[in-house]
Amino acid sequence: MPIATINPATGETVKTFEPYDDAEIERRLALADEAFSRYRTTSFAERSELVNKVADLLDADLEDLARTMVVEMGKPIEQAKAEVKKCAGGLRWFAEHAESLLRDEDVPGTAAKRRSFVTYQPLGPVLAVMPWNFPLWQVFRFAAPTFMLGNVGLLKHASNVPQTALYLEDVCRRAGMPEGVFQTLLIGSDKVERILRDKRVKAATLTGSEGAGRSVASIAGREIKKTVLELGGSDPFIVMPSADLARAVEVGVKARVQNNGQSCIAAKRFIVHEQIADEYIERFADAMARLTVGDPLDPATDVGPLATPSGRDEIAEQVEDAVSKGAKLLCGGERIDGPGWFYPPTVLSELTEDMRVYREEVFGPVALFFRVGDIEEAIAIANDSDFGLGSNAWTEDEAEQLRFIEGIESGMVFINWMTTSYYDLPFGGVKNSGYGRELAAPGIREFAVTKTVWVD
Ligand code: NAP
């Protein structure tokens, strides 16, 4: 894959980059190692100052940065701006809370000792392999806790967002981060193994596809290095008769098409109780059909292009496969001609297990509908997936809420809301959606050395 900015709205190659050669990779690994030896000794106050400064620079760069993201991966401009603001907020949150999240924990009550406690220490340089879909937030939700813990980061970003990737290193340097604390490596995925096997790199986090996750985790496993994997998802969005239907339609549509439908935590499978299914599906399909598809730089656009031509082809082929096997198309379903890789909001119902969409992740603005007779059937369909990232259940009935919380196999469950990431809540999945957690206390501790101390 070339390292290049190719505008998904026009197909135009905007800028290409030469990947770093082996000598440059070696120089940067040495720099990370050296930077860690000093950065690990800095205080929380010093780190907070740097991290808050990065947040201030993001605020100042908001307009240009959002535009760069749009030109690289096609998300609607207002969503790009919201992503920049969210990153600034996340940085400030970790700057404020990291010290208390990492405070020593006394363990009272053990016999024959004066004092025992657990202390959290930095681990070393961590490799982050990141995707293009939230090109800023995916990186900062790794980088903000990394900076506050005292680790240093090496970023291998997706090959189609090189300008955002380079911005990330640049903004950290402008904020006063010492050289080597955060580096962007302009490399293809073929160089990841060499970096992961290097003794100076202590761990890796990967957000991306199942295939990439399996590859990185198996290499890291052989090297006995810890990994965190945030992989794909096929979140269920269950609607029961007691739900606020209008809100469940409005939020459901947003949860499906946010980021042009390319979000790991997008609602992908709509599982609706038969008592309200006809009304819900009709209102949902109507709202999808009315969305504005077009230029992502236009603030009036709801849905921009898919990020890559292969991503658009994949969606089109999944829909064609379902329709050829008897799925009912309620709206959309045809590639949009012209430059760029546009695909319309699409709704499919009457789905069966032999269709690709039943098992695969659908990474575009395509909603899948399932009709169920009761809550247990809803949970069974929700769990009939290799993924287990987020999940959504809409019901005002408290007993049903508890049953969903207990019964759905996922890392996160949102009742009467869509799956989303917040700084103060752990984020992550089960099954093939990965393992480990980002954000909040579990996130900042993933790459800490949890050291047990006994002082007699
Ligand atoms: P992808 O192909 O796996 O790419 C993600 C990153 O992994 C890129 O930097 C890519 O580099 C690199 N990569 C690809 N194959 C690799 C390999 N064999 N070894 C090492 N690195 C490799 O993912 P994508 O298709 O672009 O992104 C969409 C996927 O990410 C979806 O499945 C989505 O659900 C998932 N995702 C998950 C989360 C989450 O938090 N759980 C969040 C966002 C996205 P190149 O660009 O150079 O190929």
Side-chain angles (χ1 to χ4, degrees):
M1 208 169 166
I3 300 180
T5 299
I6 303 173
N7 187 338
T10 61
E12 176 206 358
T13 299
V14 177
K15 208 166 176 179
T16 55
F17 295 82
E18 275 304 308
Y20 294 166
D21 62 16
D22 287 343
E24 180 63 4
I25 293 172
E26 169 52 35
R27 189 184 76 77
R28 285 172 174 266
L29 285 169
L31 200 57
D33 190 45
E34 197 188 45
F36 176 64
S37 66
R38 284 191 301 274
Y39 188 67
R40 65 174 304 162
T41 65
T42 53
S43 66
F44 280 113
E46 287 168 281
R47 294 174 200 161
S48 292
E49 200 180 319
L50 292 169
V51 167
N52 279 320
K53 181 75 179 130
V54 176
D56 293 345
L57 290 172
L58 288 184
D59 285 342
D61 296 345
L62 184 133
E63 295 291 334
D64 285 351
L65 178 55
R67 219 185 144 80
T68 301
M69 289 157 67
V70 175
V71 170
E72 295 208 295
M73 52 67 66
K75 70 173 65 208
I77 185 75
E78 294 305 316
Q79 293 180 32
K81 288 181 189 172
E83 185 172 335
V84 178
K85 288 182 195 157
K86 181 170 180 170
C87 292
L91 285 156
R92 292 189 178 107
W93 189 85
F94 276 102
E96 185 182 345
H97 296 283
E99 187 168 5
S100 69
L101 300 176
L102 294 170
R103 188 161 288 144
D104 291 351
E105 288 168 359
D106 278 317
V107 183
T110 315
K113 56 133 178 60
R114 271 208 190 102
R115 185 182 173 219
S116 55
F117 61 99
V118 174
T119 190
Y120 297 98
Q121 297 183 337
L123 176 67
V126 180
L127 172 67
V129 181
M130 291 288 147
W132 45 264
N133 62 341
F134 293 91
L136 212 63
W137 172 238
Q138 297 292 355
V139 177
F140 276 120
R141 73 187 197 188
F142 152 75
T146 294
F147 294 148
M148 288 310 300
L149 171 61
N151 282 341
V152 308
L154 290 157
L155 168 68
K156 182 267 175 275
H157 216 327
S159 294
N160 57 335
V161 290
Q163 296 192 58
T164 309
L166 289 172
Y167 171 87
L168 283 155
E169 180 178 305
D170 178 64
V171 75
C172 292
R173 292 290 288 140
R174 280 192 283 135
M177 293 260 174
E179 196 183 11
V181 170
F182 184 86
Q183 299 183 75
T184 289
L185 305 176
L186 282 187
I187 53 169
S189 57
D190 56 321
K191 296 288 184 197
V192 166
E193 177 163 1
R194 174 226 190 284
I195 293 166
L196 203 44
R197 288 194 187 284
D198 192 289
K199 281 208 175 325
R200 291 164 290 192
V201 175
K202 302 300 182 201
T205 181
L206 179 138
T207 300
S209 60
E210 240 182 287
R214 283 182 200 283
S215 169
V216 163
S218 58
I219 297 162
R222 285 200 295 275
E223 297 296 326
I224 318 186
K225 290 179 184 175
K226 187 172 183 184
T227 46
V228 166
L229 298 182
E230 297 290 357
L231 308 178
S234 191
D235 284 14
F237 190 101
I238 300 165
V239 189
M240 297 298 282
S242 65
D244 176 339
L245 227 56
R247 208 161 157 262
V249 169
E250 187 194 336
V251 176
V253 168
K254 186 174 168 205
R256 178 55 285 202
V257 303
Q258 60 171 335
N259 215 39
N260 307 337
Q262 304 159 119
S263 168
C264 53
I265 50 170
K268 291 172 186 142
R269 296 177 297 141
F270 292 80
I271 301 167
V272 187
H273 194 282
E274 60 191 6
Q275 274 177 33
I276 47 156
D278 286 342
E279 187 185 351
Y280 186 81
I281 296 173
E282 192 188 326
R283 287 163 75 167
F284 188 98
D286 182 54
M288 287 283 273
R290 279 190 285 108
L291 293 171
T292 307
V293 181
D295 178 4
L297 285 170
D298 182 343
T301 292
D302 299 308
V303 181
L306 296 182
T308 61
S310 59
R312 203 261 301 256
D313 289 349
E314 180 84 352
I315 283 291
E317 284 160 21
Q318 285 174 316
V319 171
E320 282 155 23
D321 169 77
V323 172
S324 74
K325 291 173 182 161
K328 193 168 160 196
L329 192 60
L330 299 171
C331 70
E334 293 278 331
R335 291 168 207 237
I336 297 172
D337 284 339
W341 307 303
F342 291 91
Y343 197 82
T346 296
V347 179
L348 291 172
S349 67
E350 316 295 326
L351 301 162
T352 48
E353 281 194 46
D354 58 331
M355 299 171 185
R356 286 180 56 192
V357 293
Y358 191 91
R359 297 251 163 248
E360 295 175 7
E361 181 178 27
V362 182
F363 216 56
V366 178
L368 310 175
F369 270 93
F370 300 85
R371 192 183 288 260
V372 291
D374 60 32
I375 185 168
E376 294 310 320
E377 196 186 347
I379 291 173
I381 290 186
N383 290 345
D384 190 18
S385 167
D386 290 334
F387 296 110
L389 192 53
S391 56
N392 316 265
W394 287 70
T395 171
E396 296 298 324
D397 181 319
E398 246 178 73
E400 285 183 354
Q401 292 178 357
L402 291 174
R403 177 72 191 109
F404 284 125
I405 293 165
E406 179 265 333
I408 298 182
E409 296 163 359
S410 65
M412 302 171 278
V413 54
F414 288 72
I415 304 291
N416 298 329
W417 189 234
M418 57 193 268
T419 315
T420 186
S421 55
Y422 284 110
Y423 337 124
D424 54 353
L425 288 172
F427 183 99
V430 296
K431 302 202 273 188
N432 291 1
S433 291
Y435 52 75
R437 291 293 177 268
E438 292 189 291
L439 302 172
I444 199 167
R445 291 177 188 168
E446 284 284 3
F447 295 120
V449 177
T450 303
K451 189 177 275 183
T452 299
V453 184
W454 176 303
V455 185
D456 215 315

PDB file of all heavy atoms in Angstrom, residues 67-84:
ATOM      1  N   ARG A  67      -9.671  19.782   8.238  1.00  0.00           N
ATOM      2  CA  ARG A  67      -9.671  19.739   6.769  1.00  0.00           C
ATOM      3  C   ARG A  67      -8.708  18.672   6.250  1.00  0.00           C
ATOM      4  O   ARG A  67      -9.035  17.910   5.330  1.00  0.00           O
ATOM      5  CB  ARG A  67      -9.224  21.123   6.268  1.00  0.00           C
ATOM      6  CG  ARG A  67      -9.948  21.605   5.086  1.00  0.00           C
ATOM      7  CD  ARG A  67      -9.387  22.925   4.576  1.00  0.00           C
ATOM      8  NE  ARG A  67      -9.473  22.906   3.122  1.00  0.00           N
ATOM      9  CZ  ARG A  67     -10.579  23.157   2.449  1.00  0.00           C
ATOM     10  NH1 ARG A  67     -11.681  23.494   3.073  1.00  0.00           N
ATOM     11  NH2 ARG A  67     -10.579  23.103   1.132  1.00  0.00           N
ATOM     12  N   THR A  68      -7.547  18.592   6.884  1.00  0.00           N
ATOM     13  CA  THR A  68      -6.578  17.563   6.464  1.00  0.00           C
ATOM     14  C   THR A  68      -7.184  16.175   6.634  1.00  0.00           C
ATOM     15  O   THR A  68      -7.067  15.311   5.752  1.00  0.00           O
ATOM     16  CB  THR A  68      -5.288  17.671   7.325  1.00  0.00           C
ATOM     17  OG1 THR A  68      -4.747  18.971   7.158  1.00  0.00           O
ATOM     18  CG2 THR A  68      -4.258  16.631   6.935  1.00  0.00           C
ATOM     19  N   MET A  69      -7.841  15.958   7.768  1.00  0.00           N
ATOM     20  CA  MET A  69      -8.455  14.639   8.003  1.00  0.00           C
ATOM     21  C   MET A  69      -9.508  14.323   6.949  1.00  0.00           C
ATOM     22  O   MET A  69      -9.581  13.207   6.433  1.00  0.00           O
ATOM     23  CB  MET A  69      -9.094  14.609   9.405  1.00  0.00           C
ATOM     24  CG  MET A  69      -8.069  14.586  10.529  1.00  0.00           C
ATOM     25  SD  MET A  69      -8.764  15.208  12.085  1.00  0.00           S
ATOM     26  CE  MET A  69      -9.939  13.982  12.497  1.00  0.00           C
ATOM     27  N   VAL A  70     -10.309  15.323   6.612  1.00  0.00           N
ATOM     28  CA  VAL A  70     -11.372  15.111   5.620  1.00  0.00           C
ATOM     29  C   VAL A  70     -10.762  14.750   4.262  1.00  0.00           C
ATOM     30  O   VAL A  70     -11.220  13.827   3.584  1.00  0.00           O
ATOM     31  CB  VAL A  70     -12.259  16.371   5.496  1.00  0.00           C
ATOM     32  CG1 VAL A  70     -13.274  16.199   4.372  1.00  0.00           C
ATOM     33  CG2 VAL A  70     -12.961  16.661   6.808  1.00  0.00           C
ATOM     34  N   VAL A  71      -9.718  15.485   3.881  1.00  0.00           N
ATOM     35  CA  VAL A  71      -9.106  15.228   2.566  1.00  0.00           C
ATOM     36  C   VAL A  71      -8.427  13.852   2.547  1.00  0.00           C
ATOM     37  O   VAL A  71      -8.341  13.205   1.505  1.00  0.00           O
ATOM     38  CB  VAL A  71      -8.110  16.361   2.225  1.00  0.00           C
ATOM     39  CG1 VAL A  71      -7.277  16.022   1.002  1.00  0.00           C
ATOM     40  CG2 VAL A  71      -8.867  17.676   2.006  1.00  0.00           C
ATOM     41  N   GLU A  72      -7.976  13.385   3.711  1.00  0.00           N
ATOM     42  CA  GLU A  72      -7.291  12.077   3.728  1.00  0.00           C
ATOM     43  C   GLU A  72      -8.254  10.909   3.808  1.00  0.00           C
ATOM     44  O   GLU A  72      -8.007   9.857   3.226  1.00  0.00           O
ATOM     45  CB  GLU A  72      -6.310  12.013   4.902  1.00  0.00           C
ATOM     46  CG  GLU A  72      -5.175  13.004   4.755  1.00  0.00           C
ATOM     47  CD  GLU A  72      -3.884  12.578   5.436  1.00  0.00           C
ATOM     48  OE1 GLU A  72      -3.879  12.476   6.672  1.00  0.00           O
ATOM     49  OE2 GLU A  72      -2.886  12.356   4.720  1.00  0.00           O
ATOM     50  N   MET A  73      -9.357  11.064   4.596  1.00  0.00           N
ATOM     51  CA  MET A  73     -10.210   9.867   4.750  1.00  0.00           C
ATOM     52  C   MET A  73     -11.715  10.114   4.589  1.00  0.00           C
ATOM     53  O   MET A  73     -12.489   9.170   4.696  1.00  0.00           O
ATOM     54  CB  MET A  73      -9.893   9.105   6.046  1.00  0.00           C
ATOM     55  CG  MET A  73      -9.880   9.847   7.342  1.00  0.00           C
ATOM     56  SD  MET A  73     -11.485  10.443   7.841  1.00  0.00           S
ATOM     57  CE  MET A  73     -12.355   8.912   8.127  1.00  0.00           C
ATOM     58  N   GLY A  74     -12.108  11.342   4.324  1.00  0.00           N
ATOM     59  CA  GLY A  74     -13.469  11.591   3.837  1.00  0.00           C
ATOM     60  C   GLY A  74     -14.578  11.771   4.857  1.00  0.00           C
ATOM     61  O   GLY A  74     -15.748  11.832   4.489  1.00  0.00           O
ATOM     62  N   LYS A  75     -14.249  11.880   6.156  1.00  0.00           N
ATOM     63  CA  LYS A  75     -15.363  12.055   7.112  1.00  0.00           C
ATOM     64  C   LYS A  75     -15.965  13.455   6.961  1.00  0.00           C
ATOM     65  O   LYS A  75     -15.261  14.403   6.583  1.00  0.00           O
ATOM     66  CB  LYS A  75     -14.913  11.801   8.540  1.00  0.00           C
ATOM     67  CG  LYS A  75     -13.995  12.839   9.145  1.00  0.00           C
ATOM     68  CD  LYS A  75     -13.777  12.553  10.616  1.00  0.00           C
ATOM     69  CE  LYS A  75     -13.035  11.252  10.827  1.00  0.00           C
ATOM     70  NZ  LYS A  75     -13.294  10.586  12.062  1.00  0.00           N
ATOM     71  N   PRO A  76     -17.247  13.637   7.260  1.00  0.00           N
ATOM     72  CA  PRO A  76     -17.845  14.969   7.166  1.00  0.00           C
ATOM     73  C   PRO A  76     -17.126  15.963   8.083  1.00  0.00           C
ATOM     74  O   PRO A  76     -16.755  15.627   9.211  1.00  0.00           O
ATOM     75  CB  PRO A  76     -19.291  14.720   7.616  1.00  0.00           C
ATOM     76  CG  PRO A  76     -19.548  13.283   7.294  1.00  0.00           C
ATOM     77  CD  PRO A  76     -18.241  12.592   7.576  1.00  0.00           C
ATOM     78  N   ILE A  77     -16.968  17.161   7.580  1.00  0.00           N
ATOM     79  CA  ILE A  77     -16.129  18.171   8.242  1.00  0.00           C
ATOM     80  C   ILE A  77     -16.542  18.449   9.689  1.00  0.00           C
ATOM     81  O   ILE A  77     -15.683  18.604  10.568  1.00  0.00           O
ATOM     82  CB  ILE A  77     -16.070  19.481   7.399  1.00  0.00           C
ATOM     83  CG1 ILE A  77     -15.110  20.507   8.001  1.00  0.00           C
ATOM     84  CG2 ILE A  77     -17.440  20.103   7.191  1.00  0.00           C
ATOM     85  CD1 ILE A  77     -13.660  20.219   7.803  1.00  0.00           C
ATOM     86  N   GLU A  78     -17.852  18.491   9.937  1.00  0.00           N
ATOM     87  CA  GLU A  78     -18.273  18.798  11.312  1.00  0.00           C
ATOM     88  C   GLU A  78     -17.849  17.659  12.255  1.00  0.00           C
ATOM     89  O   GLU A  78     -17.513  17.896  13.423  1.00  0.00           O
ATOM     90  CB  GLU A  78     -19.789  19.026  11.388  1.00  0.00           C
ATOM     91  CG  GLU A  78     -20.256  20.270  10.633  1.00  0.00           C
ATOM     92  CD  GLU A  78     -19.524  21.544  11.068  1.00  0.00           C
ATOM     93  OE1 GLU A  78     -19.353  21.755  12.270  1.00  0.00           O
ATOM     94  OE2 GLU A  78     -19.117  22.321  10.174  1.00  0.00           O
ATOM     95  N   GLN A  79     -17.880  16.435  11.766  1.00  0.00           N
ATOM     96  CA  GLN A  79     -17.448  15.293  12.588  1.00  0.00           C
ATOM     97  C   GLN A  79     -15.925  15.340  12.805  1.00  0.00           C
ATOM     98  O   GLN A  79     -15.423  14.937  13.854  1.00  0.00           O
ATOM     99  CB  GLN A  79     -17.866  13.975  11.937  1.00  0.00           C
ATOM    100  CG  GLN A  79     -19.371  13.781  11.904  1.00  0.00           C
ATOM    101  CD  GLN A  79     -19.798  12.472  11.252  1.00  0.00           C
ATOM    102  OE1 GLN A  79     -19.114  11.461  11.325  1.00  0.00           O
ATOM    103  NE2 GLN A  79     -20.949  12.493  10.609  1.00  0.00           N
ATOM    104  N   ALA A  80     -15.205  15.831  11.800  1.00  0.00           N
ATOM    105  CA  ALA A  80     -13.747  15.974  11.956  1.00  0.00           C
ATOM    106  C   ALA A  80     -13.429  17.004  13.037  1.00  0.00           C
ATOM    107  O   ALA A  80     -12.556  16.804  13.889  1.00  0.00           O
ATOM    108  CB  ALA A  80     -13.118  16.369  10.628  1.00  0.00           C
ATOM    109  N   LYS A  81     -14.180  18.101  13.029  1.00  0.00           N
ATOM    110  CA  LYS A  81     -13.944  19.139  14.054  1.00  0.00           C
ATOM    111  C   LYS A  81     -14.281  18.586  15.443  1.00  0.00           C
ATOM    112  O   LYS A  81     -13.555  18.834  16.410  1.00  0.00           O
ATOM    113  CB  LYS A  81     -14.804  20.374  13.762  1.00  0.00           C
ATOM    114  CG  LYS A  81     -14.319  21.161  12.554  1.00  0.00           C
ATOM    115  CD  LYS A  81     -15.193  22.383  12.348  1.00  0.00           C
ATOM    116  CE  LYS A  81     -14.865  23.051  11.025  1.00  0.00           C
ATOM    117  NZ  LYS A  81     -15.789  24.121  10.694  1.00  0.00           N
ATOM    118  N   ALA A  82     -15.370  17.846  15.518  1.00  0.00           N
ATOM    119  CA  ALA A  82     -15.747  17.264  16.816  1.00  0.00           C
ATOM    120  C   ALA A  82     -14.660  16.302  17.303  1.00  0.00           C
ATOM    121  O   ALA A  82     -14.378  16.226  18.503  1.00  0.00           O
ATOM    122  CB  ALA A  82     -17.083  16.531  16.689  1.00  0.00           C
ATOM    123  N   GLU A  83     -14.037  15.602  16.369  1.00  0.00           N
ATOM    124  CA  GLU A  83     -12.966  14.665  16.762  1.00  0.00           C
ATOM    125  C   GLU A  83     -11.762  15.422  17.342  1.00  0.00           C
ATOM    126  O   GLU A  83     -11.180  15.002  18.347  1.00  0.00           O
ATOM    127  CB  GLU A  83     -12.541  13.822  15.550  1.00  0.00           C
ATOM    128  CG  GLU A  83     -11.509  12.750  15.912  1.00  0.00           C
ATOM    129  CD  GLU A  83     -11.219  11.790  14.759  1.00  0.00           C
ATOM    130  OE1 GLU A  83     -12.080  11.618  13.874  1.00  0.00           O
ATOM    131  OE2 GLU A  83     -10.117  11.205  14.761  1.00  0.00           O
ATOM    132  N   VAL A  84     -11.424  16.543  16.724  1.00  0.00           N
ATOM    133  CA  VAL A  84     -10.297  17.341  17.241  1.00  0.00           C
ATOM    134  C   VAL A  84     -10.614  17.807  18.664  1.00  0.00           C
ATOM    135  O   VAL A  84      -9.784  17.698  19.584  1.00  0.00           O
ATOM    136  CB  VAL A  84     -10.006  18.559  16.327  1.00  0.00           C
ATOM    137  CG1 VAL A  84      -8.869  19.396  16.914  1.00  0.00           C
ATOM    138  CG2 VAL A  84      -9.661  18.115  14.907  1.00  0.00           C
TER     139      VAL A  84
END
